Amino acid sequence: MRPTYLEVNLNQLKQNLQNIRARVAPAKVLVVLKANAYGHGVDGVAPFIAPFADYIGVAIVEEGINIRKMGIKTPILVMGGTLPEQIPDFLEFDLTLAASSLSLLESAEQISAAAQKRIKAHLKIDTGMERIGARAQEAQALIERSLSCKHVEVEGIFTHFANSEVMSLRGVKQEFPISAALQLERFEEALSVYEKHSEPHPKLRHTANSGATLLMPESYYDMVRPGVMFYGVYPARDIEKTIEVKTALTWKSQVTYSKIVELGHGVSYGSLWSPETPSRIATIPCGYADGYFRMMTNKAQVIINGKKYPQVGRICMDQFMVNAGADEVKAGDEAILLGKGITPEDLADWVGTNEYEIMTNISARVPRKFVK
Ligand SMILES: *Cc1c(COP(=O)(O)O)cnc(C)c1O
């Protein structure tokens, strides 16, 4: 295996799930495995975690097909936008459709009827995210049509929050920026259509992402959809840590080259950095093509032999350099890029992005090693 790899602690993920479950029970838990399991490697995470998940969530149909091809039978909701021509894949691979508009629901009904099959669907209501879903004025028509569908089996109804993790909006009902409390009120309004028709609501009503799982017990309904929390990361820095979760990632590498760089000699492209005294510079075989963002140039830190050192000079596509100062560092020594005291939050700050983007950008070129 390549010396640069991502170690993924599967038991930690399972522990995170158990701790989330303890909070939300009796609500079920949909485990979000989109985007290569937030970069952790869906090939290892999905088979391990599926037996403990009530539902699996993915963003796109291809991710659902990939998980089905692993032989996993757990229900899978494709949460993102879908085009009518992708509906046959839902039938073939037993995936659950997010029915986000009247026209998509009609297509699902027609295509399923023609195939003489049934398709599972969760109605998607847009209560303020303005991404996909039937908005307040369209929700009633969507729900009413779904009541007469013969081939679409409406198992669920859901919405998604835009600002559930924002502490200052907690409990506030306002339209701009849209608060989760107002979104929840609109979701309730949509659900009231069932009462009006004296029909039972679908058995899985769900709204809560990680932020709402932490802050809004009233949003749990029948199931929650924690993504980033399952991976051990809080969705915002100022949220009180009331569910114990830990990151499962350690990004490891090894020094491939070590030398003294003399005073005034520029290191890497653009010669952006040069030492003020002769310094030991170690080269690490990892770069921005691996997801080690170029934006972190001269900001990141790396642990070599248990000690933190600054990254120096432009981060290249496949390699970067570290200033070990006066210390002895040699080829073969272990380097930690993430984990053991370097957090996803640290990397996010060095880049100027969030932890989600840090994790999902660790590229396919970095092998995943799954440990228990
Ligand atoms: C990604 C996603 C989630 C998970 O969000 P987190 O903030 O990671 O908890 C939940 N629901 C939907 C619809 C999503 O797209």
Side-chain angles (χ1 to χ4, degrees), residues 274-345:
S274 59
E276 284 164 12
T277 56
S279 300
R280 178 155 298 277
I281 301 299
T283 302
I284 309 295
C286 179
Y288 61 78
D290 298 301
Y292 201 80
F293 282 81
R294 188 168 173 273
M295 288 281 287
M296 299 192 296
T297 289
N298 289 333
K299 292 190 192 132
Q301 295 194 309
V302 172
I303 298 167
I304 300 176
N305 301 329
K307 190 171 164 188
K308 255 187 210 177
Y309 296 104
Q311 186 282 324
V312 292
R314 229 344 147 228
I315 292 168
C316 310
M317 187 186 292
D318 317 297
Q319 307 182 73
F320 67 79
M321 274 63 84
V322 173
N323 180 12
D327 291 350
E328 264 315 308
V329 164
K330 57 187 187 314
D333 286 354
E334 184 186 67
I336 304 290
L337 316 187
L338 170 63
K340 310 215 166 157
I342 297 177
T343 63
E345 286 84 352

Side-chain angles (χ1 to χ4, degrees), residues 23-247:
R23 165 67 66 88
V24 305
K28 295 174 190 286
V29 183
L30 172 147
V31 173
V32 183
L33 296 181
K34 65 187 177 186
N36 197 23
Y38 283 45
H40 290 58
V42 72
D43 295 355
V45 176
F48 175 80
I49 212 70
F52 309 106
D54 300 302
Y55 229 103
I56 288 170
V58 296
I60 61 176
V61 67
E62 289 78 6
E63 293 175 329
I65 294 171
N66 181 38
I67 292 172
R68 277 285 176 264
K69 285 184 172 167
M70 298 173 194
I72 291 167
K73 302 282 192 279
T74 310
I76 300 175
L77 174 62
V78 178
M79 303 184 295
T82 291
L83 291 169
E85 51 266 40
Q86 297 173 303
I87 288 172
D89 288 331
F90 284 76
L91 295 170
E92 184 177 349
F93 293 96
D94 186 26
L95 303 171
T96 307
L97 175 74
S100 51
S101 70
L102 191 55
S103 74
L104 187 63
L105 182 70
E106 294 287 6
S107 298
E109 175 67 14
Q110 278 169 25
I111 293 166
S112 307
Q116 297 187 311
K117 284 184 172 173
R118 282 168 70 78
I119 184 169
K120 254 192 284 169
H122 291 198
L123 304 181
K124 177 70 193 285
I125 310 300
D126 184 350
T127 55
M129 176 73 176
E130 301 289 352
R131 189 164 67 179
I132 61 166
R135 281 166 308 174
Q137 62 275 24
E138 305 144 341
Q140 180 160 351
L142 179 71
I143 292 169
E144 284 172 351
R145 175 66 185 96
S146 77
L147 291 172
S148 64
C149 282
K150 300 253 175 338
H151 296 85
V152 180
E153 180 193 327
V154 181
E155 179 197 51
I157 181 165
F158 72 114
T159 192
H160 188 57
F161 295 123
N163 294 304
S164 64
E165 79 291 0
V166 180
M167 286 301 284
S168 60
L169 287 176
R170 193 177 186 185
V172 174
K173 274 186 199 163
Q174 70 174 36
E175 208 148 342
F176 191 86
I178 184 82
S179 68
L182 183 57
Q183 288 196 252
L184 210 54
E185 193 172 283
R186 290 178 179 169
F187 187 63
E188 277 293 325
E189 243 171 73
L191 290 175
S192 72
V193 174
Y194 290 99
E195 260 169 64
K196 240 190 289 182
H197 292 269
S198 307
E199 291 278 350
H201 59 71
K203 79 170 191 232
L204 295 175
R205 299 161 299 171
H206 50 103
T207 70
N209 54 2
S210 293
T213 299
L214 282 160
L215 298 177
M216 298 178 74
E218 67 275 28
S219 73
Y220 294 170
Y221 293 93
D222 309 304
M223 187 161 80
V224 298
R225 306 189 306 267
V228 82
M229 280 286 287
F230 166 63
Y231 299 100
V233 175
Y234 268 67
R237 307 286 172 90
D238 55 350
I239 298 185
E240 208 191 321
K241 307 260 188 292
T242 56
I243 302 180
E244 204 197 324
V245 293
K246 291 201 193 94
T247 170

Side-chain angles (χ1 to χ4, degrees), residues 259-281:
K259 66 196 184 278
I260 303 290
V261 173
E262 299 299 334
L263 174 79
H265 286 238
V267 168
S268 191
Y269 294 124
S271 308
L272 299 179
W273 181 90
S274 59
E276 284 164 12
T277 56
S279 300
R280 178 155 298 277
I281 301 299

